[in-house]
Amino acid sequence: MILFPAIDLKDGACVRLKLGDMAEATVYNPDPGAQAKAFEDQGFEWLHVVDLNGAFAGETVNGGAVEAILKATSNPVQLGGGIRTLAHIETWLAKGLARVILGTVAVRNPSLVKEACRLFPGKVAVGIDAKGGRVAVEGWAEASELGVIELAQRFEGAGVAAIIYTDIDRDGILAGINWPGTLALANAVEIPVIASGGLASMNDIHRLAAPDMVKLEGAISGRALYDGRIDPAEALAVLSARGRAA
């Protein structure tokens, strides 16, 4: 079970949004590289990064900040936000990303996602962001008619490394993970699922360590880590103990 600390990038700084609203951004660190190194020093073994401006623009906007993160940490990094072409995927992987996260393009052009999985095995994750049970695209600004499980099942057998499922209605407000929706997705597909959106406290960490969560690859935490609601050492110890018990 992996706990992924999140660095969301807006205008070059580490921020957290409330309910996906770019106008509701709290700046936590103006130096993304320093934040990445701090997470590594705390014992985290992965890093989840989102180019928020890029998600809206449809292209990389915070590229300099992402490159600073890659230089600052030896941990594997997954990046989402504005990655829409095979050339873009190849460029970022060549810069040292462990994997790219494809969101909007998974809805708009699923064949590109499948081709990316073929060309870059193990390097492509799909981001499914949902509002009211429907998949949202273009930086959460537009709703589609697709259901979460319907979209996920389109990629069964394609070689997707993971699905990152975010409940936008809970993101950034410390409301707790949407456990029923997350488990329903994990049980509906063979692709590993990563929970995102709302992780609020050590109670959620202990919930992640429960036996029925075994199908999840992990969860992403942002605001709760930055605000000190989750103690990194304690959280990692709980999840490590779960792994040893399994």
Side-chain angles (χ1 to χ4, degrees):
M1 180 69 69
I2 302 167
L3 186 60
F4 297 79
I7 293 181
D8 289 356
L9 298 169
K10 179 177 184 283
D11 305 331
C14 304
V15 307
R16 294 301 295 167
L17 302 185
K18 183 184 290 185
L19 301 174
D21 185 348
M22 287 287 274
E24 292 282 344
T26 302
V27 176
Y28 280 99
N29 194 329
D31 186 338
Q35 187 61 59
K37 184 65 168 63
F39 281 138
E40 180 178 340
D41 290 345
Q42 288 169 347
F44 293 102
E45 297 180 350
W46 265 87
L47 189 60
H48 174 79
V49 180
V50 179
D51 181 348
L52 294 171
N53 301 101
F56 284 92
E59 60 185 11
T60 297
V61 175
N62 289 288
V66 176
E67 291 185 26
I69 288 169
L70 291 171
K71 288 184 175 69
T73 181
S74 60
N75 280 345
V77 177
Q78 60 184 22
L79 172 69
I83 302 174
R84 308 281 169 86
T85 69
L86 289 173
H88 206 175
I89 293 166
E90 184 173 20
T91 296
W92 271 120
L93 292 176
K95 289 178 183 290
L97 281 181
R99 60 190 178 198
V100 297
I101 304 165
L102 304 180
T104 294
V105 74
V107 176
R108 305 278 198 236
N109 190 359
S111 62
L112 184 146
V113 177
K114 294 175 182 178
E115 179 66 2
C117 290
R118 186 185 69 80
L119 292 172
F120 311 108
K123 302 287 188 179
V124 178
V126 167
I128 300 182
D129 306 327
K131 189 172 182 63
R134 295 293 167 183
V135 177
V137 294
E138 306 292 347
W140 300 353
E142 297 179 21
S144 75
E145 294 302 311
L146 277 173
V148 172
I149 290 174
E150 178 187 359
L151 177 60
Q153 289 179 334
R154 292 183 178 183
F155 297 105
E156 282 280 58
V160 171
I163 289 173
I164 298 161
Y165 171 53
T166 303
D167 186 333
I168 300 169
D169 294 317
R170 293 169 177 260
D171 190 69
I173 61 170
L174 302 168
I177 294 283
N178 177 354
W179 299 117
T182 302
L183 286 175
L185 174 60
N187 288 322
V189 294
E190 294 300 318
I191 305 166
V193 171
I194 299 169
S196 175
L199 195 74
S201 67
M202 286 303 300
N203 286 338
D204 286 330
I205 297 297
H206 286 284
R207 181 72 185 90
L208 272 174
D212 62 336
M213 294 290 165
V214 69
K215 288 200 70 173
L216 296 186
E217 178 175 290
I220 294 165
S221 180
R223 188 177 292 270
L225 279 174
Y226 290 104
D227 286 350
R229 295 168 188 266
I230 290 176
D231 177 80
E234 184 182 353
L236 291 170
V238 167
L239 296 177
S240 176
R242 200 289 298 253
R244 290 195 300 272

